[in-house]
């Protein structure tokens, strides 16, 4: 039996890490209990806790193709189309249970992409990356670990390739080769769940050419390896988490986080290197990781479920739920949300087996799905804000609700119906605020836009992957152009 950790064991495993984390200009001495970071730890812990519940077991666990043991699906290498479909369902399920980014998909997507590319590099160059990778994977599965998937470099001037940057560290690179491994320097920006991870898996951020060979590297390290520093990103309304468990937080339990990760001359042993200067395989690794991660945006469908539920509730509290325009707007929210679900199920259902044995999603459909994700959550959020009313942004604090002087006025004037206490209305409004403009909007909106690549990245892939010649051929045949001279 592999070790399927529960939430408590996961939390304890994090306490053993010696992470070098900075936030608000100070070193964070106790990462696990920090009130700003902790909700994000709770969200990852939920991926452990719910995996033990019989009703979710089918979706949240899988059989390892390496050991045959039961493992958490977040550490699984997809072995069938059914696995790919279950992965999409897992994203929606976890999104609907936490209403935020639960962070564990990036590492899963990195491992699946590496399982394909390490195999492909070995076939061409007779290297042993796949053997190393499978050994690493077994370690991750046996210990049920969380991996940060680190692709995005700081990138400097976007118009220049890595070797032409004024500062050569703008993309992560090898700076020294030693007998037992290499030394790397650089940074990875926007790293989801970085300080809740046991391991960090690094990949190149874009297609590299020969001149950028030193940047064509992929490896995995323990998250507390010497020389790695984490600088926490801010989120709007983040300091509300310092106010204790008030309903002003919106989501009382869960959240997400991102961090800037700096690699200051970090040693990587050979056995943890999965790509080293094979620049001709960077396109494959980047495109496959991106496609898997674009599929992972099934999570937004789950968060959408919560937002739609909250919007229906506020409409009922306000007495507007029977108005035809409100009913129609809620239908539209559901229509958009289920359309997103169609995309992530479709790219999984159209998946195929790669030479390594790993199943890969349909690249075109995964890109189309993510393109929709860059738009639909914004429209769903707009409709939620429309129905919620202006109180969404003018609501006084929980402390005012509890105030002996003014609390009675809030209870009197914000009550909409005799059976709906004003506090209930305030709580549901705070949840909508949290998802559409508070700290969870990082995950629901801006991450939908830029995470797994900005919108233009998908449009480039769509234009490359559609079979335009075939479409033209059929059109020409049907109108008889091919019969003309
Ligand atoms: C919340 C969040 C979580 C994330 N989590 C992770 C993670 O866990 N791991 C990870 O590796 N990455 C992560 N990312 C990074 C994500 O993949 C990047 O944000 C995305 O690839 C865009 O890169 P950028 O943010 O540097 O924006 P930029 O590259 O600066 O893009 C901004 C705009 O400039 C355009 N642009 C950029 N370069 C060019 C160019 N050369 N020519 C023309 N136009 C250009 C883009 O199309 C876009 O419109 C996350 C991002 C967010 C927002
Ligand atoms: S944004 Fe979604 S897919 Fe990405 S790590 Fe968070 S929950 Fe997973």
């Amino acid at each position: 039996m592999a070790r399927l950790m529960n939430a408590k064991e996961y939390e304890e495993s994090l306490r053993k890490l010696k992470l070098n984390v900075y936030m608000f200009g100070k070193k964070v001495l106790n990462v696990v209990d920090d009130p700003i970071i902790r909700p994000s730890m709770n969200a990852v812990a939920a991926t452990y806790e719910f995996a033990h519940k019989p009703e979710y077991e089918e979706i949240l666990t899988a059989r390892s193709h390496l050991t045959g043991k039961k493992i958490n699906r977040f550490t699984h290498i997809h072995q069938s189309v059914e696995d790919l479909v279950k992965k999409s369902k897992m994203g929606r399920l976890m999104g609907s249970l936490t209403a935020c980014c639960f962070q564990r998909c990036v590492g899963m997507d990195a491992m699946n992409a590496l399982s394909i590319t390490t195999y492909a590099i070995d076939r061409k160059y007779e290297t042993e990356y796949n053997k190393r990778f499978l050994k690493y994977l077994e370690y991750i599965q046996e210990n049920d670990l969380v991996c940060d998937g680190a692709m995005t470099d700081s990138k400097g001037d976007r118009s220049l390739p890595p070797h032409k940057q004024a500062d050569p560290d703008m993309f992560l690179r090898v700076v020294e080769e030693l007998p037992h491994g290499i030394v790397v320097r650089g940074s990875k920006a926007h790293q989801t769940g970085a300080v809740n991870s046991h391991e960090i898996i690094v990949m190149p951020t874009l297609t590299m050419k020969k001149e950028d060979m030193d940047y064509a590297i992929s490896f995995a390290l323990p998250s507390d390896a010497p020389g790695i520093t984490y600088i926490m990103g801010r989120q709007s309304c983040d300091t509300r988490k310092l106010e204790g468990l008030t309903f002003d937080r919106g989501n009382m339990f869960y959240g997400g986080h991102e961090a800037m990760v700096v690699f200051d001359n970090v040693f990587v042993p050979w056995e943890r290197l999965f790509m080293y200067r094979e620049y001709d395989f960077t396109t494959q690794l980047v495109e496959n990781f991106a496609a898997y991660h674009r599929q992972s945006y099934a999570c937004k469908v789950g968060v959408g479920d919560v937002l739609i539920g909250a919007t229906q509730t506020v409409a009922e509290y306000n007495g507007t739920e029977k108005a035809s325009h409100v009913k129609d707007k809620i239908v539209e929210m559901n229509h958009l949300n289920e359309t997103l679900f169609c995309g992530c199920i479709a790219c999984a259902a159209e998946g195929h087996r790669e030479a390594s044995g790993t199943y890969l999603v349909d690249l075109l459909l995964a890109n189309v799905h993510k393109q929709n994700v860059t738009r639909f959550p914004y429209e769903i959020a707009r409709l939620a804000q429309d129905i919620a009313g202006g109180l969404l942004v003018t609501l006084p604090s929980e402390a005012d609700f509890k105030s002996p002087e003014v609390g009675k006025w809030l209870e009197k004037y914000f009550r909409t119906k005799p059976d709906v206490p004003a506090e209930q209305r305030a709580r549901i409004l705070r949840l909508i605020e949290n998802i559409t403009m508070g700290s969870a909007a990082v995950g629901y909106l801006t991450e939908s836009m830029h995470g797994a690549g900005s919108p233009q990245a998908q449009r480039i892939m769509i234009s490359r992957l559609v079979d335009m010649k075939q479409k033209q051929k059929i059109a020409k045949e049907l109108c008889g152009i091919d019969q003309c001279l």
Side-chain angles (χ1 to χ4, degrees):
M1 178 82 181
R3 191 162 155 252
L4 210 55
M5 276 200 276
N6 62 30
K8 196 77 209 142
E9 289 166 333
Y10 163 63
E11 182 179 332
E12 291 314 312
S13 71
L14 290 183
R15 288 187 195 284
K16 294 186 189 129
L17 299 175
K18 295 185 174 53
L19 300 180
N20 189 29
V21 182
Y22 282 79
M23 187 166 58
F24 297 122
K26 293 197 185 97
K27 190 172 161 89
V28 181
L29 299 176
N30 181 348
V31 177
V32 174
D33 296 312
D34 183 275
I36 290 197
I37 299 172
R38 193 163 173 92
S40 71
M41 195 280 294
N42 290 340
V44 184
T47 68
Y48 287 92
E49 200 55 34
F50 290 120
H52 288 272
K53 294 200 182 292
E55 63 270 36
Y56 302 134
E57 187 187 4
E58 179 71 18
I59 297 294
L60 295 184
T61 65
R63 288 271 154 211
S64 164
H65 74 295
L66 296 178
T67 63
K69 294 177 190 170
K70 184 171 151 186
I71 52 170
N72 193 300
R73 189 172 293 282
F74 282 102
T75 68
H76 186 47
I77 298 298
H78 318 301
Q79 297 299 302
S80 61
V81 162
E82 194 189 351
D83 269 348
L84 289 172
V85 171
K86 282 183 182 167
K87 181 199 157 189
S88 289
K89 291 185 177 175
M90 173 168 78
R92 181 175 195 168
L93 174 68
M94 287 309 308
S96 69
L97 291 170
T98 60
C100 69
C101 168
F102 41 87
Q103 306 144 60
R104 212 174 164 185
C105 332
V106 209
M108 166 181 60
D109 295 334
M111 288 189 286
N112 274 275
L114 277 169
S115 75
I116 297 170
T117 299
T118 52
Y119 186 87
I121 302 176
D122 288 357
R123 284 230 294 209
K124 180 166 178 189
Y125 292 117
E126 295 181 3
T127 42
E128 55 175 36
Y129 293 121
N130 193 247
K131 199 168 109 198
R132 284 181 195 171
F133 171 74
L134 293 178
K135 194 168 167 218
Y136 175 70
L137 176 69
E138 191 171 338
Y139 165 70
I140 298 299
Q141 291 183 342
E142 286 291 299
N143 295 286
D144 200 5
L145 301 180
V146 178
C147 301
D148 171 23
M151 177 165 274
T152 313
D153 291 292
S154 301
K155 297 187 290 193
D157 181 338
R158 271 56 176 165
S159 69
L160 299 175
H163 72 281
K164 287 214 170 130
Q165 296 287 333
D167 180 341
D169 297 339
M170 286 299 108
F171 290 74
L172 191 140
R173 65 186 178 126
V174 54
V175 289
E176 197 181 351
E177 200 171 299
L178 300 170
H180 302 296
I182 60 168
V183 177
V184 298
R185 191 189 304 148
S187 70
K188 293 286 178 181
H190 325 286
Q191 292 309 298
T192 295
V195 309
N196 292 329
S197 301
H198 306 98
E199 291 276 324
I200 181 162
I201 302 177
V202 167
M203 297 160 285
T205 205
L206 41 77
T207 293
M208 302 289 173
K209 300 223 167 82
K210 195 168 180 193
E211 314 82 82
D212 293 321
M213 226 184 218
D214 287 349
Y215 299 86
I217 49 176
S218 177
F219 59 85
L221 283 176
S223 50
D224 58 356
I228 300 182
T229 299
Y230 301 85
I231 309 164
M232 299 297 294
R234 288 213 70 170
Q235 298 176 333
S236 52
C237 307
D238 50 8
T239 46
R240 286 201 196 172
K241 292 171 191 152
L242 298 175
E243 297 167 6
L245 210 59
T246 68
F247 66 65
D248 285 337
R249 285 165 62 153
N251 186 331
M252 305 291 279
F253 308 104
Y254 303 116
H257 81 245
E258 285 76 32
M260 161 71 127
V261 187
V262 179
F263 294 76
D264 186 24
N265 297 323
V266 176
F267 176 70
V268 185
W270 292 121
E271 64 270 20
R272 287 295 195 99
L273 260 175
F274 307 134
M275 172 187 278
Y276 185 51
R277 293 189 158 131
E278 290 85 6
Y279 62 91
D280 46 335
F281 282 90
T282 50
T283 306
Q284 184 195 86
L285 183 57
V286 171
E287 286 185 1
N288 287 351
F289 168 77
Y292 278 130
H293 204 47
R294 286 164 194 175
Q295 174 204 13
S296 284
Y297 278 50
C299 64
K300 311 303 177 205
V301 185
V303 181
D305 288 331
V306 177
L307 184 56
I308 293 167
T311 308
Q312 175 69 28
T313 305
V314 83
E316 289 173 13
Y317 286 177
N318 289 352
T320 57
E321 82 278 16
K322 294 201 177 77
S324 61
H325 80 96
V326 171
K327 282 202 277 191
D328 189 54
K329 281 166 185 163
I330 289 187
V331 168
E332 179 64 5
M333 291 168 84
N334 278 305
H335 164 70
L336 293 170
N337 206 42
E338 298 304 332
T339 304
L340 291 182
F341 193 49
C342 294
C344 55
I345 290 291
C347 69
E350 288 289 299
H352 64 272
R353 189 179 188 277
E354 288 283 309
S356 66
T358 305
Y359 274 69
L360 177 63
V361 286
D362 182 273
L363 296 196
L364 173 60
L365 296 183
N367 279 280
V368 169
H369 165 58
K370 171 68 208 326
Q371 180 76 185
N372 287 337
V373 171
T374 66
R375 299 169 177 170
F376 295 180
Y378 285 86
E379 180 60 10
I380 296 171
R382 190 183 74 79
L383 292 168
Q385 291 188 356
D386 175 353
I387 293 169
L391 197 56
L392 186 64
V393 290
T394 62
L395 187 72
S397 74
E398 178 171 339
D400 289 315
F401 273 83
K402 296 216 167 101
S403 154
E405 289 82 26
V406 297
K408 59 182 184 242
W409 301 122
L410 300 182
E411 189 50 51
K412 176 180 165 72
Y413 289 112
F414 288 150
R415 185 179 276 259
T416 45
K417 295 177 177 181
D419 61 339
V420 181
E423 182 180 320
Q424 280 186 23
R425 193 170 163 226
R427 281 180 184 266
I428 206 78
L429 286 169
R430 285 287 183 232
L431 181 61
I432 297 173
E433 181 199 28
N434 176 256
I435 296 173
T436 65
M437 63 185 100
S439 54
V442 171
Y444 190 56
L445 298 181
T446 321
E447 191 167 38
S448 291
M449 176 75 78
H450 289 294
S454 307
Q456 187 59 16
Q458 294 108 57
R459 296 187 85 77
I460 291 168
M461 287 302 290
I462 291 167
S463 73
R464 197 184 297 160
L465 291 167
V466 290
D467 190 346
M468 192 55 77
K469 286 269 174 286
Q470 175 63 11
K471 289 181 202 298
Q472 286 182 289
K473 182 170 172 286
I474 298 166
K476 286 176 181 174
E477 270 172 22
L478 285 173
C479 67
I481 288 181
D482 57 340
Q483 290 164 23
C484 299
L485 282 178

